Amino acid sequence: MRELRLPERTAAVTTHTGPHDDLDLAYAAAGSYAGRSGFRSQDYVEDVHLIGPRDTDVPEHWRTLVAWLVAPETDRSSV
């Protein structure tokens, strides 16, 4: 267990499990969700490797947090 502190952001977030071969699908899912939900994209994505190659050589154990950053002032009152 470890504490993870990140700068404050507004984002659509998903967690990808497993090898990074298809990590692009997690980016696509987060971006699609943001678009369908009326968020205004900041055209920037981030990933945080919660468990990755530095932690274990078993790709099935890897966990990557994928965040599609959106404008914090997005009006979602009609969503």
Side-chain angles (χ1 to χ4, degrees):
M1 177 71 75
R2 67 177 186 240
E3 182 176 354
L4 175 64
R5 290 181 184 250
L6 300 171
E8 186 175 318
R9 304 216 189 323
T10 302
V13 178
T14 189
T15 302
H16 178 269
T17 301
H20 296 151
D21 297 343
D22 60 353
L23 189 58
D24 59 323
L25 299 176
Y27 288 108
S32 293
Y33 174 81
R36 285 191 319 270
S37 299
F39 291 113
R40 187 167 52 85
S41 173
Q42 290 188 339
D43 297 323
Y44 187 71
V45 293
E46 289 185 340
D47 55 48
V48 177
H49 300 278
L50 302 172
I51 303 171
R54 292 181 180 174
D55 304 301
T56 177
D57 59 356
V58 181
E60 291 74 25
H61 295 169
W62 298 351
R63 302 289 180 270
T64 306
L65 189 71
V66 174
W68 190 281
L69 300 180
V70 296
E73 70 278 355
T74 300
D75 179 9
R76 298 189 65 235
S77 59
S78 62
V79 175

